[in-house]
Amino acid sequence: MIVLGGLQKNSFIDYPGKVSCVLFFSGCNFDCPYCHNPGLARGRTGGSWIHEQAVYDFLEKRKGFLDGVVISGGEPTLRQDIITLCRKIKEMGYPIKLDTNGSRPQVIKQLIDEGLIDYVAMDVKTAPYHYSPLFRKDSNPKDILSSIRTIMKSGLNYEFRTTCIKPIVDAPVIRNIAGTIEGAVLYALQRFRNGRVLHPEFFRGTDPHFREDELMDLKAAAASWVQRCIVR
């Protein structure tokens, strides 16, 4: 039995061009200070757990109203039962978007090879060789690089995205990431938004936000490396 950490019934922004719902897996293998889903990252939820059959019943009722399903987290690729979930959702006729941190390239490849996902959004936190120790003490940069290559070769719609937050990100970091994903269809630079985060103490006494002109400078640093770069 699959148990999910949460369900957002309607979203107009999580799956480009589609009205979607968002299914959240609980638990994450990264420890990003700015994570905006701290409960899910720690393996907890803000309410009750959602069982597998309730998800399928909901999706059956929403046929004709929803255009797609987003699988998010936490980090959904940590759960082997993601394969079963995606297979059943695809059998219901829904396209699926996966949100991932890219740490489990073998799962991403299986989902792609079996035709179980239609869109991938991968977070690239910083330059792959700089993930440790901030995001994960034993992070393997080869996993991040493998996921990037797999996604770019997949033929699926995809995007890479980086949350722009001081002091973690600056122009050299963005240039490094953009060079790593050279030729990518879409690279999204995401604004940091105030709210509950996993480690608020990391930002105590500092302003982590980039001004709008600074974000445009980051965009300029990346633009020549990718097909399209946006700030969102």
Side-chain angles (χ1 to χ4, degrees):
M1 180 178 63
I2 300 170
V3 180
L4 295 166
L7 166 64
Q8 182 180 340
K9 294 183 177 181
N10 293 289
S11 171
F12 297 93
I13 61 172
D14 285 280
Y15 197 144
K18 298 185 185 299
V19 179
S20 67
C21 69
V22 186
L23 306 179
F24 295 96
F25 278 90
S26 185
C28 189
N29 56 345
F30 281 7
D31 193 40
C32 306
Y34 53 82
C35 176
H36 64 279
N37 282 327
L40 287 169
R42 293 187 177 109
R44 301 194 298 266
T45 64
S48 46
W49 300 95
I50 300 170
H51 292 271
E52 177 183 6
Q53 191 56 50
V55 172
Y56 303 140
D57 291 344
F58 167 79
L59 291 175
E60 190 64 41
K61 292 176 183 176
R62 298 294 290 173
K63 282 185 176 179
F65 297 95
L66 293 176
D67 304 316
V69 176
V70 178
I71 307 290
S72 191
E75 175 49 42
T77 62
L78 293 176
R79 298 276 298 273
Q80 190 58 41
D81 50 18
I82 188 179
I83 303 297
T84 299
L85 179 72
C86 289
R87 187 175 291 123
K88 290 185 178 180
I89 293 172
K90 288 289 286 184
E91 287 171 356
M92 298 176 74
Y94 286 101
I96 297 174
K97 172 178 174 274
L98 173 71
D99 291 340
T100 181
N101 62 22
S103 63
R104 302 263 288 169
Q106 68 277 15
V107 179
I108 294 172
K109 187 176 187 304
Q110 183 179 358
L111 289 165
I112 291 170
D113 288 349
E114 295 190 22
L116 299 179
I117 52 176
D118 304 272
Y119 193 115
V120 187
M122 176 178 160
D123 292 311
V124 185
K125 312 288 185 180
T126 185
Y129 285 90
H130 296 162
Y131 273 55
S132 296
L134 181 59
F135 301 111
R136 183 181 175 185
K137 290 181 181 178
D138 60 345
S139 177
N140 186 349
K142 292 182 180 179
D143 288 337
I144 303 301
L145 294 169
S146 177
S147 291
I148 289 171
R149 289 192 295 268
T150 296
I151 291 166
M152 291 184 69
K153 293 176 180 178
S154 68
L156 300 180
N157 292 321
Y158 68 87
E159 66 183 67
F160 298 106
R161 54 196 189 186
T162 299
T163 299
C164 297
I165 186 166
K166 298 176 181 178
I168 298 170
V169 168
D170 57 18
V173 166
I174 293 298
R175 279 193 290 271
N176 190 308
I177 295 171
T180 302
I181 61 170
E182 183 178 3
V185 172
L186 177 61
Y187 182 31
L189 305 178
Q190 301 187 143
R191 295 176 175 87
F192 172 64
R193 304 188 189 280
N194 285 330
R196 291 183 64 228
V197 295
L198 188 57
H199 291 295
E201 70 279 2
F202 182 86
F203 305 104
R204 195 162 291 135
T206 66
D207 181 3
H209 298 87
F210 281 91
R211 299 190 312 269
E212 205 61 26
D213 62 311
E214 292 175 321
L215 287 169
M216 292 304 107
D217 288 341
L218 295 181
K219 178 182 177 182
S224 64
W225 293 93
V226 297
Q227 295 183 40
R228 183 175 173 226
C229 183
I230 63 171
V231 174
R232 65 159 69 115

